[in-house]
Every structure is written in structure tokens, then in C-alpha cells.
Amino acid sequence: MTRTRLFRSRSSEEKEEEEEQHYSKHNITTSTGMRVIVPLQGVVQGRGGLFLGSVIPCALFYFFQLYLKRHRSQPNPPPPQPPPENSGGQLAEVSVSVLPRSLSRVHLSPRSPGGPAYVSGRANSIVKGGDSPHDVGLRKALEDPYHQSGNPDGVIQLGLADNKLSLDLVGEWLAKNAIFGEELSIGGIASYQPFDGLMELKVAVAGFMSQVMKKSVFFNPSQIILTAGATPAIEMLSFCLADTGNAFLVPTPYYPCFDRDVKWRTGVEIIPVPCRSADNFSLSLTALDRAFNQAKKRGTKVRGIIISNPSNPMGSLLDRETLYRLLDFAREKNIHIVSNELFAGSTHGNEEFVSMAEIIDLEDLDRNRVHIVYGLSKDLSLPGFRVGIIYSFNDNVLAAAKKLTRFSSISALSQRLLVFMLSDSNFIQQFIEINRERLRRMYIKFVAGLKQLGIECIKSHGGFYCWADMRGYIPSYSEKGELELWDKLLNMAKVNVTPGSCCHCIEPGWFRFCFTTLTEKDIPVVMDRIRKITETCKSHS
Amino acid sequence: MRHLSTKATCNSHGQDSSYFLGWEEYEKNPYDEVQNPKGIIQMGLAENQLSFDLLESWLEKNPEPAGFKRDGKSIFRELALFQDYHGLPAFKKALVEFMAEIRGNRVSFDPNHMVLTAGATSANETLMFCLAEPGEAFLLPTPYYPGFDRDLKWRTEVEIVPIHCTSSNDFQITETALEAAYHEAQQRNLRVKGVLVTNPSNPLGTTLSRSELNLLISFITTKGIHLISDEIYSGTVFSSPGFVSVMEVLKDRNCDKTEVWDRVHIVYSLSKDLGLPGFRVGAIYSNDDVVVATATKMSSFGLVSSQTQYLLSALLSDKKFTKNYISENQKRLKKRQNMLVMGLERAGISCLKSNAGLFCWVNMRHLLRSDTFEAEMELWKKIVYDVRLNISPGSSCHCTEPGWFRVCFANMTEETLDLAIKRLKDFVVEHTANGHSKSNNSSKNSKRKFLLKWVLRLSSRDRDQEPDER
């Protein structure tokens, strides 16, 4: 009997529903062992039906906290190397320096008057965390950037979603129109402005979003909150919709920086919902449901789902039906949906982009649970100006987010310039069309180039990335094997790509390539370099 | 449900307080010389509008930076893509040099220790995230900027414990007060992580003396805690004693490269000194590499626009301009402050002697019906509705003594200031004639209950006004 029960508790994680029913069918015996084990099992399975089921975890937790307090360690990191010099060019977020992974820790009682004041846990996590491959790659590309003529042996940056394809169009517009005069003067904008953005810019952005989505939706400027980039927009929504310890469901693979944006300062968790190559990494509602239930059993409160559409890194679009089913799911579980539509204007395939706003537009149900994140960094190629948008149908969220914008406000100087630019609807229309065309051309060429090397990509319809299958080239079917290939690509081929593990992909061997930082002439160079690695890898496997 | 998080629905953002009334009333009925001469004059906004013409004329003479050009070439491409959280090197260099210039070049700063943020608001919050855990505390001398209740506490869940300063010594920080605050924190079971001071002070408009700075440094050394010096008004010091930065005092004590060196952090901004709050430029300066590394990564949540960084790097690199701007700006502030102080004196109102800032700390205790915060509120409402001036009551700044008000003078024209002073004078005359002001021997003891009640209520409710009130 005991053995059966233990077996049941071990396998309960694997087949929850069946086990639950199975368990409930058996009576609780009165043996002494059962009196101890049953409440403990109750604890493990998250059921606090019995008094002990709540007292035991509380007591354990209390003693654990006491233990931690008594033995709080004082990390004393050696000073890190100074950050590399910036050439002030095409840069991205780079971690400061290589910080050693293991540090000598000095144990000090936190209450001793002479003890040094240490920094917060958040700061320590930076010190202890070291650098992810994502960061290392970005930094190497920064230190030794490829240039066709100037530095032909430099690192080619394929890990960062900068759209350089259509910057010339914006540059031309500026050269013609940005003459310092009325539109660019600082009169009236130097003083304090509303933290959530100038109304003129909200109107202009609403118009731009509508244009970008082919006029399928009308966006209401008074439902827009402007933030200094999409990064704070995501964090703000995380603060508004969830408390510390709550969680969001996020389908994997996902944008690596969600870990920072959603979790770091908020204390909110991400529960990954794995998508598989067998399904072309498409979102499975069954997986979503399972993840939700597992979280519930663990006692974690799920507050919402974060989807990216077009997705990063796959570049796939969610169709209308999936969006409706997501909405049904959110309604059933009573949670929010955050739709990250940052690449909405950068579609290059044949599929139609459908915004979450369109789904809500048609049916007035549950508008309060849908929130859209957008920005001008991708679709308008202006990440430097820091323009992010929260679009919500929920007045309470808008009110709360508005108050938070004091911490992440857009410079009024840039706001004014953008009002000017976005109001030129002819230019914007032209820009969107030409940009799409260039994206399509580049995507086709890049994917064809990879195909010639024997590397297949998931069919993508939007965004700046290819999600490439390199499982045939990794030395072992594991994260370790994947990182070994990544390392070869970076240090031998000098091509920076993002390994799937950074995106929390559960299947090793997938890599994310960005194709918008290249010109067409660079493609053969890139393919050549990759070929050198794939040939050596093939010969080994 | 879909209800929001505790943080989104709680009151810690402080914008639901009753003092919001003043701002609301101003918005409904704003003064305009021509269109609405009987409207409410805004004297609760610490904005520097006095030297704007200097900036505009520089921009006219130097159109290239605003047009994304450098030496005739377009650098738009670089700027459009630039989102490196280390900041534009040219801008950081120009900014540290500007900061050094304001301190008479008695100290110098290293650009690698500077982190750019979208305004000082973001800088203060980021420092809290870097230095303290939820539930820990920072000590702040009262009265302090009302926005701190939101900026330092809201998302970070850090507590503020006040260091009580009184008018008996012109609100200077004393050792007794520091120890008392530390003790209070311990009573409340709060772990103190540091002290945060504003130097020059908001709302007092005074610079910290060398002895106060020395006292603070000794205090943090003994307790092993941090010191944050919010120096956003450092360029607005217009008379003696001059501005002494905490860095100077550390240097004088030969503290560089000692442990305490790493625990002193400065917050700066261009919103007050350059009068550019709309541009959202703030900075954290720290000697601690971990703090710099963490704050740099956190600045992703509020980066400064590359366009702004470039424009300001060109502006601040023009040393001739900055030298002239600093001195001219200070001259104009001094003149304006003098105008307000003299005008108030003629109305029988005294101010705390101040040498910096964009405001005066005004003493209207003699106009209170009783020595209570309730009476202060009454007086404040009269001033907002009847006199039609929006000023900031001392209780919103957590002042322990009722009757003090912060009155700004740099966000309006001279004529408007004249009008404001006249209105106040008329009010005082009428007020005194009606015998409303309290007599010298009012029954303080019997009002103690009210006092306690109000202090408790007011200190548990965060006060702040929309928009930013610094």
C-alpha cells in the first residue's frame, strides 16, 4: 500500500488528471504511516485540505527563511574589467564585461555594525549570473564589427534585430524635411510634458499603427500610452497585471530578453509553454492548458499569456482562428493576454497579419483582458529614439500604466520630430511598402543561401529572423552540443547567431539568424563562412 | 480575475491625495496674462524657464546637431540605430565635464562610472532597485520632495524613514536626528540601507554645509550604509555659501579608494540646471562597479533618446556656452529669488534664507488659525481658491512643523510674479484685519490630539501632485 502511494506521488507530475481520480478512489487508511504520509502528499500535491497540509509547509518555510537570514552570504566580487570602448556606431545592448562566474563569498552577519553595506539581490544576480551566449556574441560583434571593405574579417552580426534595409529612406526624408526651424525648435517642448507622451504623437502613432496593419483596425489615441521603448512597456504591463510570485505563460522559443523584461525587477515568473518542431513550433492550446494546470497545482497564480505576433524567433503569424481560441482560453481561465506586435509592419510573406485589436474590434467581449505592445524600433527602424506603445482596452490598466510612465518617458525632442514624420502619410505609406519588399527579397535570398548549405528554416512570414534547423551539425543532441556549435560559429566563422537555448527552445540544434543587418552582397560571405563550419561538423558526425 | 496587481491599485503612487486639488484647480482655471487674468497662478512647479533664450540662441547658431549632422555629414544612420545602454560616449564625457564645471572643477568625474537614465525620477528608482530589497529602508531628512514617496517606494517596496529637521536650526541635519531616525527604523524592524539627501535641498532651497556633509559621511561609515546625494539643483546655486558636493568632502577626507567611497552615489539631471525637463535626461554616478553594472542594465527600461544625447553632447561640449550659461542663469535666479523674498517681506511673510533652487521655503505659521496641519490645510485651500495661487503645503513634504509652504519663482514671467506677490499681500492684509491669525499663546496642548491625528493620517497617505512637482 505504501509503495503504491509513493509510486503514485512520483508519477503524479506526469499524469495528473488520471492520478487524481485514481487517488481519490482509494480510502485513507488509519495506519500511523498514512497519518504522516497523507498530509505530506497533500502538501506535495498542493492540496491543503488538512490542517497539517497548511501548517507543515508554513513551518518549513519559516525555518528555511530563518536559516537563510542567519547564513546570508556576502558576495564580494573582484572588480570587473572596464567595458570595451564604443565606436559609437550600430550597437545593441551589450553586457558590461566578463564577470567571473564563481566568486569568493564572505559570510558576514547582516546585523554587525561594522559590516559593509551590500547591494540588492537584483544587483548581485548581475554579478553572479555572468554572461549569456546572447551577451557574449553581441559584445564580440561590437568589438570587431564586420565591414565589407574596412574590416572584412570582422564578426558578422546576425544576432540583433536591427533593420538596416530601409534606413536610407528615413535618412532621405530627414535630410529634406528636418531643417531646424519651426518643426524642430525646442520651444514648447523643453518644459515638462505629460509623462505618457504628447497627444499629437499618440494621434500620429495611432494612425501609423493603423497604416502598418493595412487599415484593418482603427486605433484610438486615448487608449495609447507611450513609453521609452517596448522594453519598459513589457515591464510595466508585468507590474500592472501581476504581483510578485505570479506568473505569465509564454510559448517557447521566445525573445531572450523577456526574462529580463518580465521577471527581473518585478519578481514575476515566466512559465514556458514548449512548442515543438513537429508542429512547426506553432502554439498548442493543449500545451497551454497543461502548463496552466500544472502551475495551478504548484500554487502559482497565472495572470496572463504573453504572445508575440509575428513571433520572435520564428517569424510566424497567428491566424484568426488561433487568436479566437486564445481569447476563449483567456476567458475560461480568467486571465489577461499581452500581445507583443512589435514586428506587425515587417511582414514579408503571403499570410495576412491579424492584430489582437482586430479580434476585439469585432466582438465586444473581454476587451479588458487584451493589451498590445508595439514600438517604432522595428517597423520604422528607429530603436535609438526609444518609442514604445502600450495599447489597452482596459481603463484601469491605462490609468496605472500612465502613472508608471514617469520612469520611462520619451524625450520630447524626439516626440516632436516623430509627430512631424508620422504625419507625412505619403512618406509612411511608401516606406512601409518599400520596406516590406526589401525584407521579402532579403528573406528569400537568405533562406535560399542556407538551403544550399543543407540548412532548412521554418517558414516565416514576418520579422527579421530565420529559425534554422542545424540539428544535423551539433556534436551531441543537447544544449552543450548546441553551444559548441554556436561557439564555433562565433569564434571560428566569426558569425554571431543566437542559439535556441537562449530562447528557451526545448529542442537543441535550432538557431536564430537575423537577415536585416546585411546587404545582398554580404550574403555569399556569410554563407561561405557558415559552410566552413558545417562541412567540418558534417565530417565529424 | 483580470483585476490588476496590488501595485497598480494601491495608493503608493501618491496621486490620489487631496493635494491633487491644487493642480486640478490650476488646470481648470490657469492664469493667462491676456486670456484669463483672474486665473490661478502656478507656483507649485519647480521649473526653470528663466534662461531658455540662451539655449534657443545657441541652437540657432548651431543647427547641425539638431539636423543629425556632424561636420556637414549626416550621422542619422548611427543615431537611429544607437540603443547601447552604455550611452553615447561623447555625451557622457560632455556631461561629466559639465558636472565638474558646476563644482568649480574641484572634483572630476569618470564617464565610465556614469549611467544615463530617462530623467532623475528613473535614476532614483533605479538606485533603489540596485541598493535595497523590498522592505528595507532609506533615511531621508524632512522636509523632502513629495515625489520621493512614489519614486523610491512604489515599485521597489522600499520604505522611507524620516530624519526630522526643524526650523530651530534652519532645518539642518543633526547627529541626534540621524540617530533618532536610525533608531526608529530599528523599532519598526526595518533594515536601513542608506541615507538619501537632496543637495541643494528641495524644498528648502539651501545647500548642505560642509559640517552636515562630514556628519553624513561619518554616519554612513559607522553604520556601514550607502549615501545617495541627489544633486539635480547643483547648477542653481546663486549665492554664498557656494555648493559643496559630497565628492569634494570625500576627497578632502582622503576617502578615495576606501570602502566608503564605493557607497556614495550621486544623482544628476539636466531638468533643473538646463531647464530641459522635457528631454528626460538623468544620470547616476557611482564609484561602485557592481552598482554601475546593474544600473546600466536597468537603464534599458528608460534609455535617453540618441537624438537628444547627440544634441546635448554638442551643446555641453561648447565650453564657452556652458560657462556663460551657468553664470547668467545663476544671476537671473538670484534676481528672481530676491524679488520674491522682498515682496513677501513687504507682506509680512518671511522665508528661510536660501541660496539655491527654484523656490523659497516660506514661513506662514503666523497666518495659521492654530499650530496644526489642519489649519495649514485650511490656509492652503484659501490660498488656492481665494488668492488663486497654487503653492505646495509643507505637510506634503512631510515637514514636522505646520505652516511652511514651498513657493516657486522660476516658472513664470516677472509680471506674473509681481501679480502673485500683490495678491498674497492683499490676502495677508485682509486676513490679519479679520483677526484670523493665531495669537502667540495658542493652546498647543489641547490641539496635540489633532496634530497627532493629522500627522499620522498625512504621513500614511502619500502626497503628490500631477504632473511632476520638483
Side-chain angles (χ1 to χ4, degrees):
Chain A
M1 197 61 162
T2 313
R3 211 162 4 131
T4 323
R5 283 199 187 277
L6 285 175
F7 169 76
R8 204 175 294 122
S9 73
R10 246 205 324 273
S11 63
S12 64
E13 253 96 76
E14 286 147 16
K15 306 176 207 163
E16 310 88 317
E17 281 167 289
E18 297 162 77
E19 298 305 339
E20 267 185 55
Q21 290 165 8
H22 191 55
Y23 180 76
S24 62
K25 281 187 195 146
H26 290 68
N27 292 326
I28 300 167
T29 66
T30 54
S31 73
T32 329
M34 288 305 106
R35 282 211 189 101
V36 174
I37 288 173
V38 166
L40 284 178
Q41 275 192 322
V43 165
V44 163
Q45 287 167 355
R47 278 187 243 121
L50 298 164
F51 173 69
L52 288 170
S54 44
V55 163
I56 290 177
C58 283
L60 286 172
F61 186 67
Y62 173 73
F63 285 119
F64 185 57
Q65 286 288 80
L66 211 56
Y67 174 80
L68 280 181
K69 266 195 188 154
R70 293 252 161 82
H71 297 269
R72 201 197 295 263
S73 61
Q74 170 77 13
N76 214 346
Q81 304 152 21
E85 276 297 301
N86 270 338
S87 51
Q90 9 130 316
L91 304 174
E93 300 183 2
V94 173
S95 70
V96 178
S97 58
V98 181
L99 297 167
R101 279 182 186 272
S102 62
L103 305 159
S104 60
R105 288 157 161 234
V106 179
H107 288 260
L108 285 169
S109 159
R111 302 248 177 256
S112 70
Y118 54 88
V119 295
S120 69
R122 296 174 196 91
N124 280 326
S125 70
I126 295 294
V127 170
K128 286 186 281 188
D131 283 341
S132 70
H134 186 238
D135 296 332
V136 170
L138 288 178
R139 190 180 57 251
K140 287 232 157 121
L142 171 66
E143 287 167 5
D144 182 19
Y146 167 81
H147 188 273
Q148 214 175 34
S149 43
N151 187 17
D153 294 326
V155 176
I156 300 184
Q157 175 65 285
L158 300 184
L160 182 67
D162 271 348
N163 180 4
K164 295 185 181 168
L165 303 178
S166 311
L167 259 184
D168 56 312
L169 298 174
V170 185
E172 270 167 32
W173 183 92
L174 276 172
K176 253 190 285 168
N177 298 280
I179 302 148
F180 186 71
E182 266 176 46
E183 276 86 11
L184 285 196
S185 79
I186 60 171
I189 54 161
S191 50
Y192 279 107
Q193 306 297 330
F195 285 124
D196 62 327
L198 301 172
M199 189 34 107
E200 303 92 71
L201 184 56
K202 289 188 189 182
V203 170
V205 161
F208 178 69
M209 285 169 79
S210 187
Q211 258 184 305
V212 137
M213 298 184 197
K214 298 189 178 151
K215 303 242 163 82
S216 56
V217 198
F218 160 72
F219 287 94
N220 183 350
S222 56
Q223 284 170 239
I224 288 181
I225 299 282
L226 295 173
T227 61
T231 299
I234 303 262
E235 197 199 35
M236 276 161 56
L237 280 175
S238 189
F239 268 117
C240 287
L241 304 176
D243 288 316
T244 307
N246 294 162
F248 283 98
L249 299 174
V250 186
T252 68
Y254 60 72
Y255 164 56
C257 295
F258 270 161
D259 290 325
R260 172 199 63 195
D261 300 347
V262 176
K263 293 166 52 167
W264 188 19
R265 306 192 302 181
T266 60
V268 171
E269 285 306 315
I270 289 182
I271 295 174
V273 180
C275 302
R276 298 169 196 281
S277 57
D279 306 320
N280 269 339
F281 292 99
S282 60
L283 178 58
S284 142
L285 260 89
T286 326
L288 213 53
D289 198 44
R290 190 181 313 128
F292 183 88
N293 291 329
Q294 281 176 347
K296 195 168 171 189
K297 281 217 179 68
R298 283 199 304 272
T300 304
K301 191 162 181 170
V302 172
R303 289 299 197 131
I305 314 166
I306 303 179
I307 52 167
S308 297
N309 178 27
S311 69
N312 174 358
M314 286 86 65
S316 47
L317 299 179
L318 293 175
D319 61 21
R320 218 175 274 275
E321 164 148 2
T322 312
L323 291 175
Y324 275 119
R325 284 165 64 203
L326 267 171
L327 195 53
D328 287 339
F329 179 82
R331 185 184 309 122
E332 183 198 317
K333 307 295 183 196
N334 206 5
I335 56 180
H336 295 271
I337 298 180
V338 174
S339 180
N340 170 21
E341 302 185 350
L342 205 54
F343 291 94
S346 301
T347 50
H348 51 72
N350 296 325
E351 270 185 31
E352 180 205 6
F353 170 75
V354 181
S355 164
M356 204 73 215
E358 208 181 316
I359 303 291
I360 295 294
D361 226 25
L362 303 177
E363 295 180 33
D364 224 20
L365 320 158
D366 298 308
R367 296 161 69 95
N368 281 343
R369 44 176 103 251
V370 173
H371 321 281
I372 294 173
V373 171
Y374 187 63
L376 300 183
S377 304
K378 311 297 180 188
D379 288 348
L380 205 52
S381 308
L382 295 175
F385 288 17
R386 313 310 305 145
V387 181
I389 290 118
I390 294 178
Y391 188 81
S392 176
F393 297 85
N394 185 325
D395 288 330
N396 292 329
V397 169
L398 288 174
K402 187 172 175 176
K403 295 180 181 117
L404 285 173
T405 51
R406 61 183 293 106
F407 301 112
S408 312
S409 232
I410 309 175
S411 170
L413 186 68
S414 302
Q415 289 194 58
R416 170 164 282 175
L417 178 62
L418 287 165
V419 169
F420 192 24
M421 192 189 295
L422 295 176
S423 308
D424 187 344
S425 36
N426 280 334
F427 162 71
I428 293 294
Q429 194 56 38
Q430 228 187 1
F431 175 87
I432 294 172
E433 281 165 13
I434 298 179
N435 184 43
R436 274 211 175 97
E437 187 45 50
R438 292 181 183 179
L439 275 172
R440 185 179 298 128
R441 259 210 324 263
M442 189 62 84
Y443 170 74
I444 290 172
K445 280 214 159 76
F446 195 83
V447 166
L450 284 177
K451 191 164 181 159
Q452 277 185 344
L453 299 177
I455 301 172
E456 294 287 340
C457 297
I458 294 282
K459 182 104 182 73
S460 111
H461 300 272
F464 303 162
Y465 299 110
C466 294
W467 186 236
D469 182 358
M470 299 188 78
R471 290 177 289 181
Y473 304 101
I474 51 178
S476 61
Y477 191 68
S478 62
E479 187 180 321
K480 183 164 175 287
E482 182 185 278
L483 289 177
E484 279 179 35
L485 176 57
W486 167 78
D487 188 79
K488 279 205 193 104
L489 283 167
L490 179 63
N491 293 309
M492 286 167 50
K494 297 186 107 184
V495 175
N496 178 37
V497 298
T498 312
S501 47
C502 286
C503 307
H504 299 271
C505 183
I506 56 168
E507 297 176 26
W510 290 86
F511 285 79
R512 184 186 77 168
F513 291 73
C514 173
F515 55 83
T516 55
T517 52
L518 304 168
T519 64
E520 286 185 31
K521 278 185 277 180
D522 296 326
I523 295 185
V525 179
V526 172
M527 296 306 155
D528 218 26
R529 292 192 189 186
I530 298 176
R531 180 183 296 115
K532 292 200 181 79
I533 301 295
T534 54
E535 275 168 3
T536 48
C537 288
K538 245 188 187 156
S539 60
H540 281 163
S541 66
Chain B
M1 155 337 147
R2 322 177 281 242
H3 61 263
L4 308 189
S5 64
T6 327
K7 288 204 182 79
T9 47
C10 73
N11 214 11
S12 300
H13 50 72
Q15 277 163 232
D16 286 343
S17 73
S18 58
Y19 296 98
F20 191 39
L21 266 178
W23 288 92
E24 264 181 12
E25 292 309 310
Y26 168 73
E27 298 288 323
K28 281 190 225 159
N29 184 16
Y31 169 80
D32 185 284
E33 217 172 310
V34 171
Q35 313 253 12
N36 188 15
K38 289 213 187 333
I40 299 182
I41 299 178
Q42 174 65 286
M43 303 186 92
L45 176 62
E47 211 177 60
N48 181 5
Q49 294 176 3
L50 302 184
S51 308
F52 196 63
D53 56 309
L54 300 175
L55 292 169
E56 271 188 324
S57 78
W58 185 91
L59 282 165
E60 261 168 56
K61 282 189 231 137
N62 300 271
E64 276 210 330
F68 301 95
K69 290 208 175 70
R70 187 201 290 144
D71 303 327
K73 253 178 42 178
S74 167
I75 52 161
F76 166 69
R77 203 182 162 83
E78 287 169 45
L79 289 178
L81 297 175
F82 186 79
Q83 51 172 335
D84 181 5
Y85 54 31
H86 292 105
L88 205 62
F91 177 51
K92 291 215 293 195
K93 180 168 174 291
L95 188 57
V96 299
E97 284 170 3
F98 183 66
M99 282 172 73
E101 197 176 342
I102 288 176
R103 289 154 182 72
N105 287 312
R106 293 183 294 271
V107 278
S108 66
F109 298 94
D110 177 359
N112 292 322
H113 285 269
M114 167 162 282
V115 181
L116 297 173
T117 60
T121 301
S122 180
N124 278 315
E125 197 202 31
T126 300
L127 264 180
M128 285 297 117
F129 273 122
C130 290
L131 301 178
E133 303 295 346
E136 294 181 337
F138 262 78
L139 308 179
L140 264 69
T142 65
Y144 61 76
Y145 162 55
F148 278 151
D149 288 323
R150 177 186 44 208
D151 300 347
L152 305 180
K153 293 169 56 170
W154 188 12
R155 300 194 292 186
T156 61
E157 296 179 74
V158 168
E159 283 302 321
I160 293 179
V161 176
I163 302 168
H164 296 289
C165 301
T166 62
S167 57
S168 59
N169 69 340
D170 287 343
F171 295 96
Q172 295 203 348
I173 303 172
T174 62
E175 187 161 1
T176 330
L178 276 170
E179 290 292 346
Y182 193 85
H183 184 70
E184 186 193 326
Q186 288 186 319
Q187 298 282 81
R188 286 165 61 179
N189 254 325
L190 295 170
R191 174 124 185 251
V192 176
K193 258 336 202 355
V195 179
L196 189 150
V197 296
T198 313
N199 178 25
S201 162
N202 175 5
L204 302 174
T206 55
T207 49
L208 286 180
S209 62
R210 238 173 229 279
S211 57
E212 279 171 288
L213 287 167
N214 270 310
L215 171 63
L216 283 165
I217 292 173
S218 304
F219 183 74
I220 64 161
T221 311
T222 326
K223 305 290 187 206
I225 57 180
H226 295 274
L227 175 64
I228 299 176
S229 181
D230 180 337
E231 301 184 348
I232 66 171
Y233 289 97
S234 48
T236 65
V237 179
F238 46 76
S239 63
S240 68
F243 174 63
V244 181
S245 167
V246 69
M247 285 296 174
E248 270 181 68
V249 178
L250 278 174
K251 216 171 122 193
D252 291 342
R253 283 165 73 133
N254 294 318
C255 284
D256 18 346
K257 311 304 175 233
T258 62
E259 229 187 282
V260 76
W261 181 252
D262 284 355
R263 292 207 302 272
V264 175
H265 321 279
I266 293 181
V267 169
Y268 190 57
S269 160
L270 295 180
S271 302
K272 311 296 176 181
D273 290 352
L274 273 191
L276 296 172
F279 284 21
R280 312 312 302 143
V281 180
I284 296 171
Y285 188 88
S286 173
N287 294 309
D288 183 324
D289 292 318
V290 174
V291 172
V292 171
T294 314
T296 304
K297 289 201 165 154
M298 281 192 188
S299 67
S300 301
F301 298 113
L303 292 176
V304 181
S305 154
S306 57
Q307 175 201 24
T308 306
Q309 289 191 52
Y310 179 62
L311 176 62
L312 292 175
S313 73
L315 181 87
L316 295 179
S317 303
D318 185 343
K319 300 293 181 219
K320 209 165 127 223
F321 168 78
T322 55
K323 189 153 175 243
N324 177 49
Y325 182 92
I326 292 173
S327 69
E328 183 61 32
N329 183 42
Q330 285 168 1
K331 261 196 225 121
R332 295 182 186 183
L333 284 171
K334 182 173 185 171
K335 183 164 168 239
R336 201 50 95 76
Q337 184 250 22
N338 200 45
M339 210 177 128
L340 177 62
V341 170
M342 293 289 124
L344 289 174
E345 229 168 79
R346 283 194 295 272
I349 300 175
S350 66
C351 301
L352 182 72
K353 187 156 178 342
S354 68
N355 64 332
L358 309 174
F359 30 73
C360 283
W361 189 235
V362 175
N363 182 356
M364 299 211 223
R365 287 183 292 179
H366 58 293
L367 297 175
L368 293 184
R369 184 175 46 81
S370 58
D371 191 24
T372 62
F373 287 104
E374 199 181 31
E376 182 186 277
M377 264 303 267
E378 266 180 45
L379 178 60
W380 176 70
K381 281 195 180 135
K382 278 206 198 103
I383 296 180
V384 171
Y385 290 110
D386 301 340
V387 189
R388 285 158 293 124
L389 300 177
N390 181 32
I391 61 180
S392 311
S395 44
S396 68
C397 306
H398 301 270
C399 187
T400 42
E401 302 172 12
W404 292 89
F405 290 80
R406 188 190 79 167
V407 180
C408 299
F409 54 73
N411 62 318
M412 62 195 76
T413 61
E414 263 189 41
E415 293 80 23
T416 313
L417 186 59
D418 258 334
L419 176 61
I421 294 172
K422 180 175 177 309
R423 284 188 190 175
L424 200 51
K425 187 157 177 225
D426 294 342
F427 167 74
V428 172
V429 164
E430 192 194 315
H431 193 88
T432 331
N434 290 347
H436 281 170
S437 51
K438 110 179 135 71
S439 61
N440 281 338
N441 299 323
S442 62
S443 45
K444 268 192 202 172
N445 285 331
S446 68
K447 300 285 184 186
R448 198 178 289 264
K449 258 195 296 183
F450 274 122
L451 180 70
L452 268 172
K453 190 176 82 177
W454 273 102
V455 167
L456 283 171
R457 264 168 70 173
L458 290 169
S459 62
S460 67
R461 226 182 9 189
D462 288 344
R463 282 152 290 283
D464 200 17
Q465 302 168 28
E466 177 94 86
D468 193 285
E469 197 199 50
R470 299 180 92 148

